[in-house]
Amino acid sequence: MYTSLKEMAHDSSTIGIFQSTGEINYDTIAGSAIAVVTLELAEPIAGERPEQVRVATFAHDESGSLLLGEPGEYLLFLKPWVIRGEQVSERWLATDDWSGIYTSGNSGGSWVRYDSEATELPESVSIGELDDLSTRSTPEIVAEVVEDQTGRSQR
């Protein structure tokens, strides 16, 4: 659980507003089907600026639909999907499965936290509140994952 947006941003490679394309595919990892949603970058906020991302997602909305597969825009904190120290085919994950996802708010420019249990994070944010966030590069994050898995530095 993250206690601030700055903390979550520090563990992210990219932060931005992404538009769902409605394209959903499934990857099989360790025998389990994982939904991978394609989104396009509408507005970069911090970090890398990929035009398009493929995000592995586990979040569903109240109706049971895959959250990021539904039409709309999402404020996302993303990091690379890493397995055994290798980034998986340029795929991404929300920095925290649910906390790294904010959905469109009722009024222009506000974003609402999807994870109702992440009470340490703001319930809603505006783009202006995100101006001072900074991220780390994908190689730094992947190197950290390798270090965590092996117990020694791989940088």
Side-chain angles (χ1 to χ4, degrees):
M1 264 309 168
Y2 289 98
T3 60
S4 72
L5 291 178
K6 283 186 180 191
E7 183 183 23
M8 189 163 51
H10 181 262
D11 286 347
S12 302
S13 287
T14 187
I15 304 168
I17 297 171
F18 291 87
Q19 175 75 41
S20 176
T21 65
E23 181 182 333
I24 302 170
N25 295 296
Y26 290 87
D27 283 349
T28 302
I29 302 293
S32 297
I34 308 285
V36 179
V37 179
T38 302
L39 301 113
E40 294 180 351
L41 181 63
E43 184 177 340
I45 294 174
E48 296 179 28
R49 295 176 178 221
E51 290 181 28
Q52 193 174 73
V53 293
R54 298 190 64 212
V55 179
T57 185
F58 309 94
H60 292 78
D61 64 16
E62 297 84 27
S63 70
S65 297
L66 198 58
L67 180 65
L68 299 178
E70 292 297 305
E73 289 186 329
Y74 303 90
L75 168 61
L76 300 176
F77 290 72
L78 299 174
K79 65 181 180 181
W81 182 3
V82 178
I83 297 177
R84 293 184 202 105
E86 299 283 330
Q87 185 173 354
V88 180
S89 305
E90 299 181 12
R91 291 190 182 42
W92 299 80
L93 293 170
T95 300
D96 183 298
D97 292 337
W98 288 272
S99 301
I101 300 172
Y102 278 72
T103 58
S104 305
N106 302 6
S107 57
S110 71
W111 299 90
V112 178
R113 183 186 73 235
Y114 178 71
D115 186 358
S116 61
E117 294 180 14
T119 57
E120 297 286 326
L121 296 173
E123 186 173 329
S124 67
V125 296
S126 68
I127 297 303
E129 294 174 270
L130 304 173
D131 286 343
D132 64 342
L133 297 181
S134 61
T135 63
R136 292 188 294 163
S137 71
T138 294
E140 286 178 299
I141 291 175
V142 172
E144 182 178 274
V145 169
V146 170
E147 184 176 330
D148 287 349
Q149 291 176 351
T150 65
R152 60 181 184 272
S153 179
Q154 299 288 321
R155 294 179 194 215

